[in-house]
Amino acid sequence: MTTEESLAAPEGETKRRRAVLVDFGGVLTTSVFAGFRAFGADIGVDPGLPIRLFAADPVVRAALAAFECGRRTDEEFERILAAALTRQGAVVEPEGLLAHLRSAIEPDPQMIELIAGIKAAGHPVALVSNSLGRDCYDDIDIAALTDVQVVSAEVGIRKPTRAIYELACRRLDIEPQEAVMIDDLSQNLDGARRAGIEGILHRSASNTAEELAVRFGVFPLLPPTSPTTDTAWRRRSGTRAWLR
C-alpha cells in the first residue's frame, strides 16, 4: 500500500503513520494530576486545590499561560503560586516551590521504553511539551529519546495552539497527516487535530502501545537498545508490561 493510500484508509482500517509526537508530563511520567494532589496534601491543604488554582483562579491561570510560554521566569511564577496558596491557608515559601510541586511526578519507565523502541524502529519522534520549569526534564535524557524537542517555554507557543504541533512536524520534516500525537489531555489532542494530526489519549503504556499498533501501524523495535548501551531511560529488570 502506498503512503497516500494508507493515509486515506477507511475508518476501522489501520491508518499508517510514520512519526510520533509525544507529550512529557503524564505520558513519559506518572500522572501530573496525581502529583499535584500529592503536593496539595503535603502542604496541608485540600489535595485538589493546586489543580483548581491552575484551572480556575484567574491570576494563577494567566501566570501559568505566560510561564509555559516563557514570558515569566520560574521565580516569578513561584511567587504568584505561593501567594495564591497562602491565601487559601497553605504555609509555603516561593523558593523551590516548582521543585516541590513536581516532586511526586516520576518517569514512567514502561512508556519511556516504548518510545525508545519506536525511535529505534525508525519512526521520527518529537517531544511536544508545555514546560513546568527549567529543570522539569532533568530525570530523562530527552535528547537521546527523541529526534527533536519542541518545548513551549523555548518556542513561545503552548498546547493546544495548533502552531506548536505544526512546528514539530516541520522540524521532523514531515506532513501533519503523517504523525500521531500522544497526550494525556483531550484538549491537547483537539489542538493536534486542528493541525491535521490524529491522536491517542494516553492512559497507560500498554493501551497506548496497542493503539499505536492497531490504529496507526506503529510498532517498536525490540529491544530498543542493547544491554551494553543501556541508558537512563532503560529499565534494568522486569518484563515489558506494554507487551501484554
Side-chain angles (χ1 to χ4, degrees):
M1 180 180 289
T2 66
T3 300
E4 290 78 11
E5 288 171 335
S6 66
L7 293 179
E11 193 67 31
E13 294 186 15
T14 300
K15 303 176 181 180
R16 296 195 178 275
R17 300 293 185 265
R18 70 185 188 93
V20 172
L21 313 184
V22 62
D23 180 33
F24 182 76
V27 176
L28 298 180
T29 74
T30 56
S31 169
V32 171
F33 295 106
F36 290 171
R37 287 191 290 270
F39 164 76
D42 196 44
I43 62 174
V45 297
D46 176 358
L49 176 62
I51 297 171
R52 291 199 299 274
L53 291 176
F54 291 144
D57 183 286
V59 174
V60 175
R61 186 172 179 175
L64 177 63
F67 172 56
E68 288 181 335
C69 288
R71 296 193 297 270
R72 283 193 181 276
T73 66
D74 287 30
E75 292 74 20
E76 288 171 334
F77 182 70
E78 285 176 325
R79 288 194 293 271
I80 292 168
L81 180 58
L85 289 167
T86 300
R87 289 194 295 270
Q88 298 294 327
V91 180
V92 294
E93 294 295 330
E95 186 175 358
L97 193 58
L98 280 168
H100 192 177
L101 179 68
R102 300 188 302 256
S103 61
I105 303 170
E106 299 179 345
D108 180 344
Q110 295 170 4
M111 191 61 199
I112 293 167
E113 186 171 12
L114 174 60
I115 296 300
I118 288 168
K119 183 173 181 286
H123 295 283
V125 177
L127 176 77
V128 184
S129 172
N130 287 349
S131 174
L132 195 60
R134 56 179 167 258
D135 300 325
C136 68
Y137 306 105
D138 285 359
D139 290 339
I140 300 172
D141 189 349
I142 294 295
L145 187 65
T146 63
D147 296 292
V148 302
Q149 303 83 43
V150 182
V151 176
S152 62
E154 296 175 0
V155 300
I157 316 164
R158 68 174 189 147
K159 297 179 296 184
T161 306
R162 64 182 291 178
I164 196 169
Y165 310 100
E166 294 169 339
L167 176 59
C169 290
R170 288 197 300 273
R171 289 187 176 181
L172 286 179
D173 195 24
I174 61 165
E175 295 298 321
Q177 294 79 10
E178 296 179 281
V180 56
M181 176 75 205
I182 304 170
D183 206 292
D184 64 323
L185 296 179
S186 58
Q187 62 263 34
N188 291 339
L189 296 181
D190 290 341
R193 196 172 295 112
R194 289 192 292 271
I197 302 167
E198 293 199 56
I200 294 172
L201 185 62
H202 176 75
R203 289 294 176 262
S204 70
S206 57
N207 287 346
T208 292
E210 182 177 1
E211 287 209 52
L212 282 169
V214 173
R215 289 177 59 195
F216 302 109
V218 175
F219 296 88
L221 182 68
L222 300 177
T225 55
S226 68
T228 57
T229 58
D230 213 3
T231 58
W233 69 70
R234 295 273 295 151
R235 291 187 300 142
R236 303 177 191 279
S237 62
T239 61
R240 297 180 176 87
W242 47 266
L243 285 176
R244 298 175 194 153

